[in-house]
Amino acid sequence: ADPPCGPCDGLGGPRWGDTSEDVSPVRCEAVASPTQVPPSARLPGQYPRQGRASVNGGTRSPVAVRPDQPGSYAPMHATLYLGWSRGAARQRYDFRSGKGARTASQIYLQSGAQQRRNESGAMVTVVPAKGECVCDTAIAGNMHIDSFAADALDPLQLPPEEGGLA
């Protein structure tokens, strides 16, 4: 197909296992195609410099990018905080129990130099009930404010006809 992916392709949803059948995809409906929206009416594709979001759903334990062993799935309630400046990108997840008590925090920090070198930065995990604080190399970099705009960190700089920004 051309393009190879549609606006609702690749969406996830609630999971209860590790196979592709163990998921209920979220509902998705395309409201317009790019050709139906004039460029002057489109919103700029850029994240705000600061943000906060509530995350309610499920999480896999142990966390794995490519699972190589069975995992278990449990409800997750968290608040995600994001912040970008010229010198650093920051993300913080505060996880809460079903009763609202903070059970853990994960803080991701990535300097501008680390972003330019495509290094993921640091991750600090705090578990107050256990008195634990662990610092490690982050499993992934921070979300990047210019991901959908002209991005100086994009080494490819593809033209629109090859999949780059229009």
Side-chain angles (χ1 to χ4, degrees):
D2 192 12
C5 297
C8 295
D9 292 347
L11 293 177
R15 299 195 65 84
W16 56 88
D18 290 333
T19 72
S20 59
E21 289 81 30
D22 298 336
V23 63
S24 293
V26 295
R27 188 173 156 265
C28 178
E29 176 184 348
V31 295
S33 71
T35 59
Q36 295 171 306
V37 182
S40 62
R42 297 176 192 168
L43 295 174
Q46 190 170 30
Y47 292 113
R49 294 210 171 270
Q50 290 185 329
R52 180 183 73 194
S54 293
V55 181
N56 294 295
T59 185
R60 182 186 193 280
S61 181
V63 174
V65 176
R66 293 191 177 121
D68 59 359
Q69 62 184 1
S72 61
Y73 291 80
M76 179 185 71
H77 308 284
T79 303
L80 168 61
Y81 302 91
L82 303 165
W84 292 274
S85 65
R86 289 182 187 211
R90 299 167 303 282
Q91 287 178 203
R92 176 181 175 144
Y93 294 87
D94 283 340
F95 298 96
R96 303 198 176 280
S97 70
K99 296 179 181 178
R102 185 170 65 101
T103 58
S105 293
Q106 284 185 321
I107 303 163
Y108 296 82
L109 304 165
Q110 188 181 33
S111 71
Q114 288 170 320
Q115 289 174 342
R116 288 186 293 280
R117 292 190 305 264
N118 200 24
E119 295 174 3
S120 58
M123 174 179 76
V124 178
T125 302
V126 180
V127 184
K130 295 181 179 181
E132 293 180 354
C133 181
V134 178
C135 185
D136 205 347
T137 300
I139 58 173
N142 285 272
M143 286 187 267
H144 181 50
I145 190 170
D146 291 325
S147 295
F148 302 106
D151 184 0
L153 296 176
D154 180 0
L156 298 179
Q157 300 294 326
L158 293 175
E161 62 273 9
E162 294 179 29
L165 295 168

